[in-house]
Short mmCIF file of all heavy atoms in Angstrom, two decimals:
data_model
loop_
_atom_site.label_atom_id
_atom_site.label_comp_id
_atom_site.label_asym_id
_atom_site.label_seq_id
_atom_site.Cartn_x
_atom_site.Cartn_y
_atom_site.Cartn_z
N ALA A 23 6.91 -30.01 -26.47
CA ALA A 23 5.77 -29.62 -25.64
C ALA A 23 6.22 -28.83 -24.43
O ALA A 23 5.58 -27.85 -24.04
CB ALA A 23 4.98 -30.85 -25.20
N ALA A 30 4.45 -21.45 -16.05
CA ALA A 30 3.60 -21.44 -14.86
C ALA A 30 4.41 -22.00 -13.71
O ALA A 30 5.06 -23.02 -13.87
CB ALA A 30 2.34 -22.27 -15.07
N ALA A 32 4.53 -22.49 -9.27
CA ALA A 32 3.97 -22.34 -7.93
C ALA A 32 5.13 -22.21 -6.95
O ALA A 32 6.10 -22.96 -7.02
CB ALA A 32 3.11 -23.54 -7.57
N ILE A 55 -2.36 -15.14 -5.38
CA ILE A 55 -1.70 -15.26 -4.08
C ILE A 55 -2.74 -15.64 -3.04
O ILE A 55 -3.64 -14.85 -2.73
CB ILE A 55 -1.04 -13.92 -3.68
CG1 ILE A 55 -0.14 -13.43 -4.80
CG2 ILE A 55 -0.28 -14.07 -2.37
CD1 ILE A 55 0.17 -11.96 -4.72
N LEU A 62 -8.23 -15.54 -2.32
CA LEU A 62 -7.20 -15.50 -3.36
C LEU A 62 -7.10 -14.06 -3.86
O LEU A 62 -8.10 -13.46 -4.23
CB LEU A 62 -7.57 -16.41 -4.53
CG LEU A 62 -7.77 -17.88 -4.23
CD1 LEU A 62 -8.33 -18.60 -5.46
CD2 LEU A 62 -6.46 -18.52 -3.80
N ASP A 63 -5.90 -13.51 -3.85
CA ASP A 63 -5.65 -12.20 -4.43
C ASP A 63 -5.22 -12.45 -5.87
O ASP A 63 -4.17 -13.04 -6.12
CB ASP A 63 -4.54 -11.49 -3.65
CG ASP A 63 -4.34 -10.05 -4.09
OD1 ASP A 63 -5.27 -9.46 -4.66
OD2 ASP A 63 -3.24 -9.52 -3.84
N GLY A 66 -4.43 -9.73 -12.81
CA GLY A 66 -4.23 -9.93 -14.24
C GLY A 66 -3.58 -8.69 -14.82
O GLY A 66 -4.00 -7.58 -14.54
N TRP A 78 -12.22 -6.83 -20.28
CA TRP A 78 -11.64 -7.94 -19.53
C TRP A 78 -12.73 -8.67 -18.75
O TRP A 78 -13.79 -8.11 -18.49
CB TRP A 78 -10.54 -7.46 -18.59
CG TRP A 78 -11.05 -6.54 -17.53
CD1 TRP A 78 -11.13 -5.18 -17.60
CD2 TRP A 78 -11.59 -6.90 -16.26
NE1 TRP A 78 -11.69 -4.68 -16.45
CE2 TRP A 78 -11.98 -5.71 -15.61
CE3 TRP A 78 -11.80 -8.12 -15.61
CZ2 TRP A 78 -12.54 -5.71 -14.33
CZ3 TRP A 78 -12.36 -8.11 -14.35
CH2 TRP A 78 -12.72 -6.91 -13.72
N THR A 81 -13.04 -15.47 -14.49
CA THR A 81 -13.93 -16.53 -14.03
C THR A 81 -13.22 -17.31 -12.93
O THR A 81 -11.99 -17.33 -12.86
CB THR A 81 -14.33 -17.49 -15.18
OG1 THR A 81 -13.15 -18.09 -15.71
CG2 THR A 81 -15.09 -16.77 -16.27
N GLY A 90 -15.08 -5.84 -16.95
CA GLY A 90 -15.03 -4.40 -17.07
C GLY A 90 -14.25 -3.97 -18.30
O GLY A 90 -13.93 -4.78 -19.16
N ALA A 94 -5.03 0.77 -21.36
CA ALA A 94 -3.61 0.64 -21.06
C ALA A 94 -3.04 2.03 -20.81
O ALA A 94 -3.34 2.96 -21.53
CB ALA A 94 -2.88 -0.05 -22.22
N ARG A 105 -8.53 -8.52 -8.23
CA ARG A 105 -9.76 -8.95 -7.59
C ARG A 105 -9.45 -9.91 -6.46
O ARG A 105 -8.44 -10.62 -6.48
CB ARG A 105 -10.69 -9.65 -8.60
CG ARG A 105 -11.24 -8.74 -9.67
CD ARG A 105 -12.24 -7.78 -9.05
NE ARG A 105 -12.79 -6.84 -9.98
CZ ARG A 105 -12.36 -5.61 -10.18
NH1 ARG A 105 -11.31 -5.16 -9.54
NH2 ARG A 105 -12.95 -4.80 -11.01
N ASP A 109 -11.24 -18.70 -1.63
CA ASP A 109 -10.39 -19.85 -1.87
C ASP A 109 -11.17 -21.09 -1.45
O ASP A 109 -11.23 -21.44 -0.28
CB ASP A 109 -9.10 -19.72 -1.07
CG ASP A 109 -8.09 -20.80 -1.38
OD1 ASP A 109 -8.39 -21.66 -2.22
OD2 ASP A 109 -7.01 -20.77 -0.78
N VAL A 116 -8.83 -20.38 -12.05
CA VAL A 116 -9.07 -18.96 -12.29
C VAL A 116 -8.64 -18.65 -13.72
O VAL A 116 -7.55 -19.05 -14.15
CB VAL A 116 -8.28 -18.07 -11.30
CG1 VAL A 116 -8.46 -16.60 -11.63
CG2 VAL A 116 -8.71 -18.36 -9.88
N ALA A 117 -9.50 -17.95 -14.47
CA ALA A 117 -9.17 -17.56 -15.84
C ALA A 117 -9.30 -16.05 -15.97
O ALA A 117 -10.21 -15.43 -15.41
CB ALA A 117 -10.10 -18.25 -16.83
N PHE A 118 -8.37 -15.46 -16.70
CA PHE A 118 -8.35 -14.03 -17.01
C PHE A 118 -8.30 -13.88 -18.51
O PHE A 118 -7.49 -14.54 -19.18
CB PHE A 118 -7.13 -13.37 -16.36
CG PHE A 118 -6.90 -11.94 -16.78
CD1 PHE A 118 -7.80 -10.94 -16.43
CD2 PHE A 118 -5.76 -11.59 -17.49
CE1 PHE A 118 -7.57 -9.63 -16.80
CE2 PHE A 118 -5.53 -10.28 -17.85
CZ PHE A 118 -6.43 -9.29 -17.52
N ARG A 124 -10.18 -2.37 -30.20
CA ARG A 124 -9.88 -1.84 -31.53
C ARG A 124 -9.28 -2.89 -32.45
O ARG A 124 -9.71 -3.06 -33.58
CB ARG A 124 -8.93 -0.64 -31.44
CG ARG A 124 -8.68 0.04 -32.80
CD ARG A 124 -7.73 1.21 -32.69
NE ARG A 124 -6.40 0.82 -32.25
CZ ARG A 124 -5.46 0.30 -33.05
NH1 ARG A 124 -5.70 0.10 -34.33
NH2 ARG A 124 -4.28 0.00 -32.55
N ARG A 130 -5.31 -14.47 -22.88
CA ARG A 130 -6.05 -15.39 -22.02
C ARG A 130 -5.10 -16.25 -21.24
O ARG A 130 -4.15 -16.81 -21.80
CB ARG A 130 -6.99 -16.25 -22.84
CG ARG A 130 -7.76 -17.26 -22.01
CD ARG A 130 -8.92 -17.86 -22.78
NE ARG A 130 -9.63 -18.95 -22.18
CZ ARG A 130 -10.08 -19.07 -20.94
NH1 ARG A 130 -9.83 -18.14 -20.09
NH2 ARG A 130 -10.75 -20.10 -20.53
#
Side-chain angles (χ1 to χ4, degrees):
I55 308 160
L62 301 172
D63 187 22
W78 64 269
T81 60
R105 293 290 178 264
D109 187 0
V116 176
F118 171 66
R124 185 181 63 81
R130 178 166 172 46

